[in-house]
Amino acid sequence: MATDALDGPVSAAGQRILDLLDKAIDLQGPLVRKNITRARQRNPEATPAEVIRNLERMYVSALTGTGAAVGGTAAAPGVGTAAALALSAGEALSSLQLSALFALSIAEIHGVPIDEVERRRTIVMGIMLGGSGSATITKVAERTGQHWGRQVVAKVPGETLRQINKMLGRHFVTKYGTKQGIVVLGRVAPFGIGAVIGGGFNAAMATLVVKAARHAFGPPPPSWP
């Protein structure tokens, strides 16, 4: 991930966030087709729309569960602040992996190419950033219209995507780093409050990601290729 996201290098902490994101994308990219196959095996007759709804439910449930589990563990007797923070750091990577797998799986179902790393980065960051992500993507690509996942990521050249990802990277560090810092502090709260904060934060985040993915790609394809 480039370090000159907008007007200069990101901070060391910001770079760690981008490195976590890249690690999540690298780990989950090869698992996308397996994820879709697993979802289809539950109902071989399922349409793309039905599989997408199933993936949405699984994503929201999984992300909510990881946040609540870490928050509950961090609040358990005998778990020190350092250990609680370490748990939250591990959960941050898990959350990014779940989000990357979900976003790239939806892109695959819609027929959007994910073979190039810059395209994968655009898809994941754009969806996780929601409205600000779509606005940045369409502005830099100088394209208008709905469903940037199909109109931009699938069509613009790699150099344009690199420019987009520089800007998305800066926004991602600002938005994700701030939110993650707040929720990490909340997770180490005593008396089980951390479980509520962790689960609630992740549930809200997952819901926004699902809405952003729907906006990015539009209606599901009517049938499988």
Side-chain angles (χ1 to χ4, degrees):
M1 182 72 66
T3 58
D4 55 348
L6 282 181
D7 53 5
V10 298
S11 66
Q15 189 58 50
R16 284 196 294 271
I17 292 174
L18 295 180
D19 290 343
L20 274 179
L21 176 67
D22 275 350
K23 183 176 181 180
I25 292 173
D26 289 343
L27 288 172
Q28 298 306 310
L31 302 179
V32 168
R33 288 182 175 85
K34 291 182 179 180
N35 190 43
I36 296 172
T37 298
R38 191 163 52 244
R40 293 186 66 183
Q41 286 174 342
R42 293 185 175 89
N43 180 8
E45 303 300 321
T47 64
E50 291 170 332
V51 170
I52 286 176
R53 285 196 295 271
N54 188 27
L55 290 175
E56 289 174 347
R57 287 192 294 267
M58 289 192 299
Y59 169 64
V60 173
S61 177
L63 201 63
T64 302
T66 59
V70 170
T73 302
V79 177
T81 300
L85 291 175
L87 285 169
S88 290
E91 194 270 332
L93 177 59
S94 297
S95 295
L96 287 176
Q97 289 188 56
L98 287 169
S99 298
L101 181 60
F102 170 73
L104 295 175
S105 296
I106 302 302
E108 175 76 11
I109 293 174
H110 280 272
V112 176
I114 59 172
D115 52 321
E116 299 174 14
V117 64
E118 293 296 343
R119 297 187 193 279
R120 294 196 294 269
R121 287 172 176 161
T122 305
I123 289 168
V124 175
M125 284 194 292
I127 288 176
M128 291 190 70
L129 286 170
S132 64
S134 62
T136 297
I137 290 167
T138 53
K139 179 180 179 180
V140 178
E142 298 182 341
R143 296 194 178 210
T144 58
Q146 293 182 314
H147 315 318
W148 58 262
R150 296 203 308 260
Q151 298 299 322
V152 176
V153 177
K155 297 180 180 180
V156 302
E159 180 57 37
T160 302
L161 289 176
R162 280 189 287 273
Q163 295 175 15
I164 290 172
N165 288 341
K166 287 181 181 180
M167 295 192 69
L168 290 179
R170 177 67 72 180
H171 296 318
F172 190 85
V173 166
T174 301
K175 182 175 181 178
Y176 183 83
T178 301
K179 286 189 174 182
Q180 192 66 28
I182 292 172
V183 79
V184 163
L185 293 176
R187 283 174 182 152
V188 301
F191 310 122
I193 297 174
V196 176
I197 295 174
F201 171 82
N202 280 16
M205 173 183 163
T207 300
L208 291 175
V209 168
V210 166
K211 291 180 179 178
R214 292 173 180 174
H215 174 76
F217 299 110
S223 59
W224 298 101

